[in-house]
mmCIF file of all heavy atoms in Angstrom:
data_model
loop_
_atom_site.group_PDB
_atom_site.id
_atom_site.type_symbol
_atom_site.label_atom_id
_atom_site.label_comp_id
_atom_site.label_asym_id
_atom_site.label_seq_id
_atom_site.Cartn_x
_atom_site.Cartn_y
_atom_site.Cartn_z
ATOM 1 N N ALA A 226 54.239 207.905 -74.419
ATOM 2 C CA ALA A 226 53.589 208.903 -73.569
ATOM 3 C C ALA A 226 52.098 208.616 -73.414
ATOM 4 O O ALA A 226 51.494 208.002 -74.250
ATOM 5 C CB ALA A 226 53.831 210.323 -74.211
ATOM 6 N N ILE A 234 54.772 197.911 -86.361
ATOM 7 C CA ILE A 234 54.713 197.108 -87.595
ATOM 8 C C ILE A 234 56.051 196.280 -87.662
ATOM 9 O O ILE A 234 56.960 196.504 -86.918
ATOM 10 C CB ILE A 234 54.580 197.971 -88.870
ATOM 11 C CG1 ILE A 234 55.689 198.961 -89.045
ATOM 12 C CG2 ILE A 234 53.213 198.736 -88.809
ATOM 13 C CD1 ILE A 234 55.622 199.772 -90.328
ATOM 14 N N GLY A 235 56.051 195.296 -88.603
ATOM 15 C CA GLY A 235 57.213 194.467 -88.724
ATOM 16 C C GLY A 235 56.769 193.118 -89.364
ATOM 17 O O GLY A 235 55.632 192.788 -89.332
ATOM 18 N N SER A 242 53.640 190.802 -81.337
ATOM 19 C CA SER A 242 52.707 190.267 -80.277
ATOM 20 C C SER A 242 53.441 190.132 -78.979
ATOM 21 O O SER A 242 52.891 190.452 -77.884
ATOM 22 C CB SER A 242 52.142 188.907 -80.706
ATOM 23 O OG SER A 242 51.421 189.052 -81.901
ATOM 24 N N GLY A 268 53.306 203.632 -63.992
ATOM 25 C CA GLY A 268 54.003 203.705 -62.703
ATOM 26 C C GLY A 268 54.229 202.379 -62.056
ATOM 27 O O GLY A 268 54.846 202.337 -60.978
ATOM 28 N N THR A 271 55.989 195.810 -63.825
ATOM 29 C CA THR A 271 55.109 194.654 -64.014
ATOM 30 C C THR A 271 55.488 193.465 -63.163
ATOM 31 O O THR A 271 54.635 192.780 -62.646
ATOM 32 C CB THR A 271 55.070 194.231 -65.509
ATOM 33 O OG1 THR A 271 56.400 193.940 -65.944
ATOM 34 C CG2 THR A 271 54.400 195.294 -66.349
ATOM 35 N N ASN A 289 43.638 186.693 -81.869
ATOM 36 C CA ASN A 289 42.494 185.783 -82.123
ATOM 37 C C ASN A 289 41.389 186.065 -81.066
ATOM 38 O O ASN A 289 41.607 185.800 -79.905
ATOM 39 C CB ASN A 289 42.971 184.364 -82.005
ATOM 40 C CG ASN A 289 41.875 183.354 -82.294
ATOM 41 O OD1 ASN A 289 40.705 183.753 -82.448
ATOM 42 N ND2 ASN A 289 42.232 182.119 -82.412
ATOM 43 N N ASN A 311 33.460 190.334 -62.028
ATOM 44 C CA ASN A 311 34.582 189.866 -61.253
ATOM 45 C C ASN A 311 35.204 190.993 -60.415
ATOM 46 O O ASN A 311 35.840 190.728 -59.392
ATOM 47 C CB ASN A 311 35.698 189.322 -62.228
ATOM 48 C CG ASN A 311 35.285 187.973 -62.793
ATOM 49 O OD1 ASN A 311 34.389 187.280 -62.180
ATOM 50 N ND2 ASN A 311 35.875 187.567 -63.845
ATOM 51 N N LEU A 312 34.998 192.229 -60.864
ATOM 52 C CA LEU A 312 35.501 193.373 -60.065
ATOM 53 C C LEU A 312 34.468 193.787 -59.025
ATOM 54 O O LEU A 312 34.707 194.738 -58.299
ATOM 55 C CB LEU A 312 35.808 194.598 -60.987
ATOM 56 C CG LEU A 312 36.923 194.422 -61.988
ATOM 57 C CD1 LEU A 312 37.094 195.709 -62.763
ATOM 58 C CD2 LEU A 312 38.255 194.099 -61.249
ATOM 59 N N PRO A 315 28.572 197.463 -59.154
ATOM 60 C CA PRO A 315 27.139 197.464 -58.981
ATOM 61 C C PRO A 315 26.435 197.189 -60.284
ATOM 62 O O PRO A 315 26.840 197.716 -61.324
ATOM 63 C CB PRO A 315 26.800 198.814 -58.392
ATOM 64 C CG PRO A 315 28.082 199.536 -58.216
ATOM 65 C CD PRO A 315 29.223 198.715 -58.838
ATOM 66 N N ALA A 321 24.812 199.924 -67.685
ATOM 67 C CA ALA A 321 24.983 201.174 -68.508
ATOM 68 C C ALA A 321 26.307 201.172 -69.231
ATOM 69 O O ALA A 321 26.395 201.507 -70.406
ATOM 70 C CB ALA A 321 24.864 202.363 -67.574
ATOM 71 N N GLY A 346 34.805 188.969 -87.447
ATOM 72 C CA GLY A 346 34.886 190.405 -87.232
ATOM 73 C C GLY A 346 34.010 190.882 -86.085
ATOM 74 O O GLY A 346 34.373 191.712 -85.282
ATOM 75 N N VAL A 351 33.538 192.072 -79.943
ATOM 76 C CA VAL A 351 33.076 191.633 -78.664
ATOM 77 C C VAL A 351 34.355 191.546 -77.762
ATOM 78 O O VAL A 351 34.288 191.970 -76.607
ATOM 79 C CB VAL A 351 32.388 190.244 -78.697
ATOM 80 C CG1 VAL A 351 32.036 189.747 -77.330
ATOM 81 C CG2 VAL A 351 31.080 190.391 -79.558
ATOM 82 N N GLU A 380 34.751 201.948 -87.961
ATOM 83 C CA GLU A 380 34.049 202.140 -86.670
ATOM 84 C C GLU A 380 34.983 201.863 -85.531
ATOM 85 O O GLU A 380 35.075 202.643 -84.528
ATOM 86 C CB GLU A 380 32.857 201.166 -86.600
ATOM 87 C CG GLU A 380 31.659 201.747 -87.266
ATOM 88 C CD GLU A 380 30.411 200.876 -87.008
ATOM 89 O OE1 GLU A 380 30.502 199.808 -86.334
ATOM 90 O OE2 GLU A 380 29.341 201.239 -87.503
ATOM 91 N N PHE A 382 38.285 201.891 -85.497
ATOM 92 C CA PHE A 382 39.349 202.887 -85.427
ATOM 93 C C PHE A 382 38.852 204.224 -84.868
ATOM 94 O O PHE A 382 39.557 204.889 -84.144
ATOM 95 C CB PHE A 382 40.081 203.010 -86.745
ATOM 96 C CG PHE A 382 41.213 202.091 -86.863
ATOM 97 C CD1 PHE A 382 41.058 200.842 -87.355
ATOM 98 C CD2 PHE A 382 42.452 202.464 -86.410
ATOM 99 C CE1 PHE A 382 42.082 199.912 -87.421
ATOM 100 C CE2 PHE A 382 43.544 201.551 -86.465
ATOM 101 C CZ PHE A 382 43.335 200.322 -86.966
ATOM 102 N N VAL A 412 55.137 205.507 -85.206
ATOM 103 C CA VAL A 412 55.270 204.118 -85.676
ATOM 104 C C VAL A 412 56.618 203.540 -85.329
ATOM 105 O O VAL A 412 57.638 204.210 -85.423
ATOM 106 C CB VAL A 412 55.157 204.077 -87.264
ATOM 107 C CG1 VAL A 412 55.256 202.634 -87.727
ATOM 108 C CG2 VAL A 412 53.879 204.696 -87.757
ATOM 109 N N VAL A 442 56.048 198.811 -98.422
ATOM 110 C CA VAL A 442 55.545 200.192 -98.359
ATOM 111 C C VAL A 442 54.170 200.251 -98.980
ATOM 112 O O VAL A 442 53.862 199.454 -99.842
ATOM 113 C CB VAL A 442 56.478 201.250 -98.927
ATOM 114 C CG1 VAL A 442 57.797 201.353 -98.168
ATOM 115 C CG2 VAL A 442 56.773 200.969 -100.381
ATOM 116 N N VAL A 472 46.596 212.101 -104.260
ATOM 117 C CA VAL A 472 45.856 212.970 -105.160
ATOM 118 C C VAL A 472 46.288 214.453 -104.982
ATOM 119 O O VAL A 472 46.527 215.127 -105.967
ATOM 120 C CB VAL A 472 44.354 212.825 -104.904
ATOM 121 C CG1 VAL A 472 43.523 213.829 -105.629
ATOM 122 C CG2 VAL A 472 43.859 211.398 -105.260
ATOM 123 N N PHE A 475 49.633 215.081 -106.611
ATOM 124 C CA PHE A 475 49.647 215.165 -108.131
ATOM 125 C C PHE A 475 48.885 216.455 -108.561
ATOM 126 O O PHE A 475 49.122 216.901 -109.671
ATOM 127 C CB PHE A 475 48.973 213.967 -108.723
ATOM 128 C CG PHE A 475 49.942 212.757 -108.793
ATOM 129 C CD1 PHE A 475 49.726 211.606 -108.038
ATOM 130 C CD2 PHE A 475 51.031 212.870 -109.610
ATOM 131 C CE1 PHE A 475 50.670 210.590 -108.176
ATOM 132 C CE2 PHE A 475 51.995 211.838 -109.684
ATOM 133 C CZ PHE A 475 51.736 210.686 -108.980
#
Side-chain angles (χ1 to χ4, degrees):
I234 61 175
S242 297
T271 55
N289 181 352
N311 287 341
L312 293 180
V351 175
E380 277 187 358
F382 270 88
V412 182
V442 295
V472 171
F475 279 114

